Amino acid sequence: MDTTAIGAFALRSRTVTERDIALFTEITGDRNPIHYDMDLAAASRFGGLVVQGGVTSGLLNALVAEQLPGPGSVFLEVAWQFLAPVRPGDVITAEATVTSVRSDKPVTTLATRVTNQAGTTVLDGTAVVWRDPVVAAASNGAQHHQPAGTSGTTEREQP
Protein backbone atom coordinates (compact mmCIF):
# COMPACT_ATOMS: atom_id res chain seq x y z
CA MET A 1 0.00 0.00 0.00
CA ASP A 2 1.18 3.52 -0.77
CA THR A 3 1.35 5.10 2.68
CA THR A 4 1.51 8.57 1.15
CA ALA A 5 -1.85 8.31 -0.63
CA ILE A 6 -4.67 10.46 0.70
CA GLY A 7 -7.02 8.16 2.60
CA ALA A 8 -4.30 5.67 3.62
CA PHE A 9 -5.21 4.44 7.10
CA ALA A 10 -3.49 2.51 9.88
CA LEU A 11 -4.41 1.17 13.34
CA ARG A 12 -2.28 0.04 16.27
CA SER A 13 -3.60 -1.28 19.61
CA ARG A 14 -2.12 -1.90 23.02
CA THR A 15 -3.27 -2.83 26.52
CA VAL A 16 -2.01 -0.15 28.91
CA THR A 17 -0.51 -1.41 32.19
CA GLU A 18 0.71 0.01 35.48
CA ARG A 19 4.19 -0.94 34.25
CA ASP A 20 3.73 1.59 31.41
CA ILE A 21 3.11 4.28 34.05
CA ALA A 22 6.29 3.26 35.90
CA LEU A 23 8.41 3.16 32.74
CA PHE A 24 7.14 6.57 31.59
CA THR A 25 7.94 7.96 35.04
CA GLU A 26 11.44 6.48 34.85
CA ILE A 27 12.03 8.16 31.49
CA THR A 28 10.43 11.55 32.26
CA GLY A 29 10.40 11.99 36.03
CA ASP A 30 6.61 12.56 35.96
CA ARG A 31 5.61 11.51 39.49
CA ASN A 32 2.19 13.15 39.55
CA PRO A 33 0.16 11.38 42.28
CA ILE A 34 -2.81 11.09 39.90
CA HIS A 35 -0.80 8.27 38.29
CA TYR A 36 0.20 6.48 41.53
CA ASP A 37 -1.88 7.31 44.59
CA MET A 38 -5.07 5.22 44.28
CA ASP A 39 -6.87 6.97 47.14
CA LEU A 40 -6.04 10.49 45.97
CA ALA A 41 -6.80 9.62 42.35
CA ALA A 42 -10.14 8.07 43.40
CA ALA A 43 -11.07 11.32 45.20
CA SER A 44 -10.13 13.42 42.15
CA ARG A 45 -12.44 14.35 39.28
CA PHE A 46 -10.97 11.35 37.41
CA GLY A 47 -12.23 8.84 39.97
CA GLY A 48 -9.15 6.62 39.71
CA LEU A 49 -5.62 6.26 38.44
CA VAL A 50 -4.88 7.92 35.10
CA VAL A 51 -2.15 6.94 32.65
CA GLN A 52 0.17 9.78 31.58
CA GLY A 53 -0.86 11.48 28.35
CA GLY A 54 2.55 10.66 26.90
CA VAL A 55 1.80 6.95 27.17
CA THR A 56 -1.45 7.48 25.27
CA SER A 57 0.07 9.68 22.56
CA GLY A 58 3.13 7.40 22.42
CA LEU A 59 1.07 4.80 20.59
CA LEU A 60 0.76 7.33 17.75
CA ASN A 61 4.56 7.66 17.75
CA ALA A 62 4.83 3.92 17.12
CA LEU A 63 2.12 3.95 14.46
CA VAL A 64 3.83 6.80 12.55
CA ALA A 65 7.33 5.30 12.88
CA GLU A 66 6.37 1.74 11.99
CA GLN A 67 3.32 1.97 9.73
CA LEU A 68 2.04 5.28 8.42
CA PRO A 69 4.00 6.82 6.83
CA GLY A 70 6.59 4.35 8.25
CA PRO A 71 10.29 4.08 9.15
CA GLY A 72 12.18 7.36 8.95
CA SER A 73 9.11 9.39 9.94
CA VAL A 74 9.32 12.14 12.53
CA PHE A 75 6.71 14.56 13.82
CA LEU A 76 7.07 18.16 12.68
CA GLU A 77 3.91 19.34 14.42
CA VAL A 78 1.12 17.84 16.51
CA ALA A 79 -2.17 19.31 17.73
CA TRP A 80 -3.79 16.87 20.13
CA GLN A 81 -6.63 17.21 22.59
CA PHE A 82 -6.86 14.75 25.45
CA LEU A 83 -10.59 14.17 25.84
CA ALA A 84 -10.94 11.34 28.37
CA PRO A 85 -8.70 9.54 30.86
CA VAL A 86 -6.91 6.31 30.06
CA ARG A 87 -6.57 3.84 32.92
CA PRO A 88 -4.37 0.83 33.53
CA GLY A 89 -6.03 -2.15 31.86
CA ASP A 90 -7.58 -0.10 29.04
CA VAL A 91 -7.03 -1.31 25.50
CA ILE A 92 -6.26 1.75 23.40
CA THR A 93 -6.22 1.92 19.63
CA ALA A 94 -4.33 4.61 17.75
CA GLU A 95 -5.45 5.42 14.25
CA ALA A 96 -4.18 7.75 11.58
CA THR A 97 -5.50 8.71 8.18
CA VAL A 98 -3.54 10.63 5.53
CA THR A 99 -5.40 13.87 4.80
CA SER A 100 -2.82 15.67 2.66
CA VAL A 101 0.54 15.08 1.03
CA ARG A 102 3.04 17.71 -0.07
CA SER A 103 4.20 17.27 -3.65
CA ASP A 104 7.50 19.13 -3.12
CA LYS A 105 8.80 17.18 -0.08
CA PRO A 106 8.05 14.04 1.94
CA VAL A 107 5.60 15.73 4.30
CA THR A 108 2.26 14.18 5.17
CA THR A 109 -0.62 15.50 7.28
CA LEU A 110 -2.56 12.95 9.33
CA ALA A 111 -5.87 12.97 11.14
CA THR A 112 -5.11 11.16 14.40
CA ARG A 113 -7.24 9.61 17.10
CA VAL A 114 -6.90 7.23 20.03
CA THR A 115 -9.92 5.34 21.36
CA ASN A 116 -10.38 2.96 24.27
CA GLN A 117 -12.03 -0.46 24.31
CA ALA A 118 -15.47 1.15 24.74
CA GLY A 119 -14.97 3.23 21.59
CA THR A 120 -14.55 6.46 23.55
CA THR A 121 -12.19 8.92 21.89
CA VAL A 122 -9.47 9.71 24.45
CA LEU A 123 -7.21 11.74 22.13
CA ASP A 124 -8.07 13.56 18.91
CA GLY A 125 -6.15 15.83 16.58
CA THR A 126 -3.71 16.13 13.72
CA ALA A 127 -0.05 15.57 13.03
CA VAL A 128 2.35 16.74 10.35
CA VAL A 129 5.07 14.18 9.60
CA TRP A 130 8.30 14.28 7.57
CA ARG A 131 9.72 10.98 6.30
CA ASP A 132 13.41 10.67 5.54
CA PRO A 133 13.67 9.35 1.97
CA VAL A 134 16.90 7.40 2.61
CA VAL A 135 15.42 5.53 5.58
CA ALA A 136 12.12 5.01 3.75
CA ALA A 137 13.89 3.49 0.73
CA ALA A 138 16.07 1.25 2.92
CA SER A 139 13.02 -0.01 4.84
CA ASN A 140 10.70 -0.55 1.91
CA GLY A 141 9.17 -3.99 2.44
CA ALA A 142 11.32 -4.77 5.49
CA GLN A 143 9.73 -6.33 8.55
CA HIS A 144 10.05 -4.30 11.74
CA HIS A 145 10.24 -5.52 15.31
CA GLN A 146 6.89 -5.47 17.10
CA PRO A 147 7.37 -5.27 20.88
CA ALA A 148 5.41 -7.40 23.30
CA GLY A 149 2.12 -5.83 24.33
CA THR A 150 1.16 -4.56 20.88
CA SER A 151 -1.40 -6.27 18.77
CA GLY A 152 -1.34 -6.91 15.08
CA THR A 153 -1.81 -3.82 13.00
CA THR A 154 -4.09 -3.04 10.13
CA GLU A 155 -3.78 -0.75 7.19
CA ARG A 156 -6.70 -0.08 4.90
CA GLU A 157 -7.87 2.61 2.56
CA GLN A 158 -10.64 4.82 3.85
CA PRO A 159 -13.73 4.82 1.60
Side-chain angles (χ1 to χ4, degrees):
M1 163 186 237
D2 179 4
T3 60
T4 59
I6 292 176
F9 181 89
L11 297 170
R12 187 176 196 91
S13 295
R14 173 179 179 78
T15 300
V16 182
T17 66
E18 288 186 25
R19 183 171 182 268
D20 295 324
I21 293 172
L23 290 171
F24 192 81
T25 296
E26 186 178 322
I27 292 166
T28 66
D30 178 355
R31 298 188 195 305
N32 186 336
I34 201 79
H35 308 306
Y36 289 100
D37 186 325
M38 287 190 193
D39 293 333
L40 185 59
S44 77
R45 71 176 288 213
F46 298 108
L49 293 179
V50 176
V51 174
Q52 295 100 326
V55 172
T56 302
S57 63
L59 195 56
L60 286 164
N61 291 64
L63 185 148
V64 164
E66 296 293 327
Q67 295 169 252
L68 184 70
S73 297
V74 295
F75 288 117
L76 297 177
E77 177 183 333
V78 296
W80 290 330
Q81 292 183 314
F82 293 85
L83 303 172
V86 173
R87 302 183 189 289
D90 282 356
V91 177
I92 57 173
T93 300
E95 56 185 84
T97 303
V98 176
T99 59
S100 71
V101 179
R102 296 264 308 253
S103 61
D104 60 330
K105 55 180 79 174
V107 174
T108 305
T109 301
L110 305 170
T112 56
R113 181 168 62 162
V114 178
T115 56
N116 67 15
Q117 67 280 354
T120 301
T121 299
V122 298
L123 179 154
D124 192 42
T126 60
V128 179
V129 179
W130 177 80
R131 187 173 189 199
D132 185 284
V134 173
V135 178
S139 338
N140 200 9
Q143 293 292 328
H144 300 284
H145 174 71
Q146 185 171 328
T150 59
S151 72
T153 55
T154 305
E155 291 184 346
R156 67 173 171 84
E157 295 226 5
Q158 183 106 337

Short mmCIF file of all heavy atoms in Angstrom, two decimals, residues 69-100:
data_model
loop_
_atom_site.label_atom_id
_atom_site.label_comp_id
_atom_site.label_asym_id
_atom_site.label_seq_id
_atom_site.Cartn_x
_atom_site.Cartn_y
_atom_site.Cartn_z
N PRO A 69 3.45 7.24 8.10
CA PRO A 69 4.00 6.82 6.83
C PRO A 69 4.99 5.66 6.94
O PRO A 69 5.14 4.90 5.99
CB PRO A 69 4.70 8.06 6.29
CG PRO A 69 4.09 9.20 7.00
CD PRO A 69 3.69 8.65 8.35
N GLY A 70 5.70 5.48 8.08
CA GLY A 70 6.59 4.35 8.25
C GLY A 70 7.98 4.76 8.69
O GLY A 70 8.21 5.90 9.07
N PRO A 71 8.93 3.81 8.66
CA PRO A 71 10.29 4.08 9.15
C PRO A 71 10.90 5.33 8.52
O PRO A 71 10.75 5.58 7.33
CB PRO A 71 11.05 2.81 8.74
CG PRO A 71 9.99 1.74 8.77
CD PRO A 71 8.76 2.42 8.23
N GLY A 72 11.58 6.09 9.37
CA GLY A 72 12.18 7.36 8.95
C GLY A 72 11.28 8.54 9.20
O GLY A 72 11.67 9.69 8.96
N SER A 73 10.06 8.31 9.70
CA SER A 73 9.11 9.39 9.94
C SER A 73 9.34 10.05 11.29
O SER A 73 9.60 9.37 12.28
CB SER A 73 7.67 8.86 9.90
OG SER A 73 7.37 8.35 8.62
N VAL A 74 9.23 11.36 11.29
CA VAL A 74 9.32 12.14 12.53
C VAL A 74 8.22 13.20 12.52
O VAL A 74 7.83 13.69 11.45
CB VAL A 74 10.70 12.81 12.71
CG1 VAL A 74 11.80 11.78 12.88
CG2 VAL A 74 11.01 13.74 11.56
N PHE A 75 7.73 13.52 13.71
CA PHE A 75 6.71 14.56 13.82
C PHE A 75 7.34 15.93 13.61
O PHE A 75 8.38 16.25 14.20
CB PHE A 75 6.07 14.54 15.21
CG PHE A 75 5.16 13.38 15.45
CD1 PHE A 75 5.44 12.46 16.44
CD2 PHE A 75 3.99 13.22 14.71
CE1 PHE A 75 4.59 11.39 16.69
CE2 PHE A 75 3.14 12.15 14.94
CZ PHE A 75 3.44 11.24 15.93
N LEU A 76 6.70 16.75 12.80
CA LEU A 76 7.07 18.16 12.68
C LEU A 76 6.15 19.01 13.55
O LEU A 76 6.56 20.05 14.07
CB LEU A 76 6.95 18.63 11.22
CG LEU A 76 7.87 17.96 10.21
CD1 LEU A 76 7.59 18.49 8.81
CD2 LEU A 76 9.33 18.19 10.59
N GLU A 77 4.91 18.58 13.67
CA GLU A 77 3.91 19.34 14.42
C GLU A 77 2.80 18.39 14.84
O GLU A 77 2.39 17.52 14.07
CB GLU A 77 3.34 20.44 13.52
CG GLU A 77 2.25 21.26 14.13
CD GLU A 77 1.69 22.28 13.14
OE1 GLU A 77 2.40 22.69 12.21
OE2 GLU A 77 0.51 22.63 13.30
N VAL A 78 2.30 18.58 16.06
CA VAL A 78 1.12 17.84 16.51
C VAL A 78 0.16 18.81 17.18
O VAL A 78 0.58 19.80 17.79
CB VAL A 78 1.47 16.68 17.48
CG1 VAL A 78 2.31 15.62 16.80
CG2 VAL A 78 2.13 17.17 18.74
N ALA A 79 -1.11 18.55 17.04
CA ALA A 79 -2.17 19.31 17.73
C ALA A 79 -3.14 18.27 18.26
O ALA A 79 -3.98 17.75 17.52
CB ALA A 79 -2.85 20.27 16.77
N TRP A 80 -2.99 17.92 19.53
CA TRP A 80 -3.79 16.87 20.13
C TRP A 80 -4.57 17.39 21.32
O TRP A 80 -4.05 18.15 22.13
CB TRP A 80 -2.89 15.72 20.60
CG TRP A 80 -2.27 14.94 19.50
CD1 TRP A 80 -2.77 14.72 18.25
CD2 TRP A 80 -1.03 14.25 19.54
NE1 TRP A 80 -1.92 13.93 17.51
CE2 TRP A 80 -0.83 13.63 18.28
CE3 TRP A 80 -0.04 14.09 20.51
CZ2 TRP A 80 0.28 12.87 17.98
CZ3 TRP A 80 1.06 13.33 20.20
CH2 TRP A 80 1.22 12.72 18.95
N GLN A 81 -5.81 16.95 21.42
CA GLN A 81 -6.63 17.21 22.59
C GLN A 81 -6.84 15.89 23.31
O GLN A 81 -7.18 14.88 22.68
CB GLN A 81 -7.99 17.78 22.18
CG GLN A 81 -7.92 19.15 21.58
CD GLN A 81 -9.31 19.67 21.26
OE1 GLN A 81 -10.14 18.95 20.69
NE2 GLN A 81 -9.57 20.90 21.63
N PHE A 82 -6.63 15.92 24.62
CA PHE A 82 -6.86 14.75 25.45
C PHE A 82 -8.28 14.89 26.01
O PHE A 82 -8.55 15.80 26.79
CB PHE A 82 -5.80 14.68 26.56
CG PHE A 82 -4.43 14.41 26.01
CD1 PHE A 82 -3.63 15.46 25.56
CD2 PHE A 82 -3.94 13.12 25.92
CE1 PHE A 82 -2.37 15.22 25.03
CE2 PHE A 82 -2.68 12.87 25.39
CZ PHE A 82 -1.90 13.92 24.95
N LEU A 83 -9.17 14.00 25.60
CA LEU A 83 -10.59 14.17 25.84
C LEU A 83 -11.15 13.32 26.98
O LEU A 83 -12.20 13.63 27.52
CB LEU A 83 -11.37 13.87 24.55
CG LEU A 83 -10.96 14.73 23.35
CD1 LEU A 83 -11.65 14.23 22.09
CD2 LEU A 83 -11.27 16.20 23.61
N ALA A 84 -10.47 12.24 27.31
CA ALA A 84 -10.94 11.34 28.37
C ALA A 84 -9.74 10.62 28.96
O ALA A 84 -8.74 10.42 28.27
CB ALA A 84 -11.95 10.33 27.81
N PRO A 85 -9.84 10.23 30.24
CA PRO A 85 -8.70 9.54 30.86
C PRO A 85 -8.52 8.13 30.33
O PRO A 85 -9.47 7.47 29.91
CB PRO A 85 -9.09 9.51 32.35
CG PRO A 85 -10.57 9.62 32.37
CD PRO A 85 -10.96 10.43 31.16
N VAL A 86 -7.27 7.70 30.35
CA VAL A 86 -6.91 6.31 30.06
C VAL A 86 -6.44 5.71 31.37
O VAL A 86 -5.67 6.33 32.11
CB VAL A 86 -5.80 6.24 28.98
CG1 VAL A 86 -5.31 4.80 28.80
CG2 VAL A 86 -6.32 6.80 27.66
N ARG A 87 -6.89 4.50 31.65
CA ARG A 87 -6.57 3.84 32.92
C ARG A 87 -5.79 2.55 32.67
O ARG A 87 -5.92 1.94 31.60
CB ARG A 87 -7.87 3.51 33.65
CG ARG A 87 -8.71 4.74 33.90
CD ARG A 87 -9.96 4.42 34.69
NE ARG A 87 -10.86 5.56 34.73
CZ ARG A 87 -10.64 6.67 35.42
NH1 ARG A 87 -9.55 6.81 36.11
NH2 ARG A 87 -11.52 7.65 35.41
N PRO A 88 -5.02 2.13 33.67
CA PRO A 88 -4.37 0.83 33.53
C PRO A 88 -5.42 -0.24 33.23
O PRO A 88 -6.50 -0.25 33.81
CB PRO A 88 -3.73 0.61 34.90
CG PRO A 88 -3.56 1.98 35.48
CD PRO A 88 -4.72 2.78 34.95
N GLY A 89 -5.11 -1.10 32.28
CA GLY A 89 -6.03 -2.15 31.86
C GLY A 89 -6.83 -1.79 30.62
O GLY A 89 -7.41 -2.67 29.97
N ASP A 90 -6.88 -0.51 30.27
CA ASP A 90 -7.58 -0.10 29.04
C ASP A 90 -6.84 -0.63 27.82
O ASP A 90 -5.61 -0.69 27.81
CB ASP A 90 -7.68 1.42 28.92
CG ASP A 90 -8.77 2.03 29.79
OD1 ASP A 90 -9.52 1.28 30.45
OD2 ASP A 90 -8.86 3.28 29.81
N VAL A 91 -7.59 -0.98 26.80
CA VAL A 91 -7.03 -1.31 25.50
C VAL A 91 -7.24 -0.07 24.63
O VAL A 91 -8.39 0.33 24.39
CB VAL A 91 -7.72 -2.53 24.86
CG1 VAL A 91 -7.15 -2.79 23.47
CG2 VAL A 91 -7.57 -3.75 25.76
N ILE A 92 -6.14 0.55 24.23
CA ILE A 92 -6.26 1.75 23.40
C ILE A 92 -5.85 1.43 21.97
O ILE A 92 -4.98 0.60 21.74
CB ILE A 92 -5.47 2.94 23.97
CG1 ILE A 92 -4.00 2.62 24.14
CG2 ILE A 92 -6.09 3.40 25.30
CD1 ILE A 92 -3.13 3.82 24.55
N THR A 93 -6.51 2.10 21.05
CA THR A 93 -6.22 1.92 19.63
C THR A 93 -5.93 3.28 19.02
O THR A 93 -6.77 4.18 19.08
CB THR A 93 -7.40 1.25 18.90
OG1 THR A 93 -7.63 -0.03 19.49
CG2 THR A 93 -7.10 1.09 17.41
N ALA A 94 -4.72 3.40 18.47
CA ALA A 94 -4.33 4.61 17.75
C ALA A 94 -4.68 4.42 16.29
O ALA A 94 -4.53 3.33 15.75
CB ALA A 94 -2.83 4.86 17.90
N GLU A 95 -5.16 5.49 15.68
CA GLU A 95 -5.45 5.42 14.25
C GLU A 95 -5.01 6.72 13.60
O GLU A 95 -5.01 7.78 14.22
CB GLU A 95 -6.92 5.13 13.99
CG GLU A 95 -7.88 6.10 14.62
CD GLU A 95 -9.32 5.67 14.42
OE1 GLU A 95 -9.80 4.85 15.21
OE2 GLU A 95 -9.95 6.16 13.45
N ALA A 96 -4.60 6.59 12.36
CA ALA A 96 -4.18 7.75 11.58
C ALA A 96 -4.66 7.57 10.15
O ALA A 96 -4.65 6.46 9.62
CB ALA A 96 -2.66 7.90 11.61
N THR A 97 -5.06 8.69 9.56
CA THR A 97 -5.50 8.71 8.18
C THR A 97 -4.78 9.85 7.47
O THR A 97 -4.73 10.98 7.99
CB THR A 97 -7.02 8.95 8.08
OG1 THR A 97 -7.69 7.94 8.81
CG2 THR A 97 -7.49 8.94 6.64
N VAL A 98 -4.21 9.59 6.31
CA VAL A 98 -3.54 10.63 5.53
C VAL A 98 -4.60 11.57 4.97
O VAL A 98 -5.53 11.13 4.28
CB VAL A 98 -2.71 10.02 4.39
CG1 VAL A 98 -2.10 11.12 3.52
CG2 VAL A 98 -1.62 9.11 4.94
N THR A 99 -4.45 12.87 5.29
CA THR A 99 -5.40 13.87 4.80
C THR A 99 -4.80 14.78 3.73
O THR A 99 -5.54 15.38 2.95
CB THR A 99 -5.95 14.73 5.94
OG1 THR A 99 -4.87 15.38 6.61
CG2 THR A 99 -6.74 13.86 6.93
N SER A 100 -3.48 14.90 3.73
CA SER A 100 -2.82 15.67 2.66
C SER A 100 -1.37 15.25 2.54
O SER A 100 -0.78 14.75 3.49
CB SER A 100 -2.93 17.18 2.89
OG SER A 100 -2.12 17.59 3.96
#
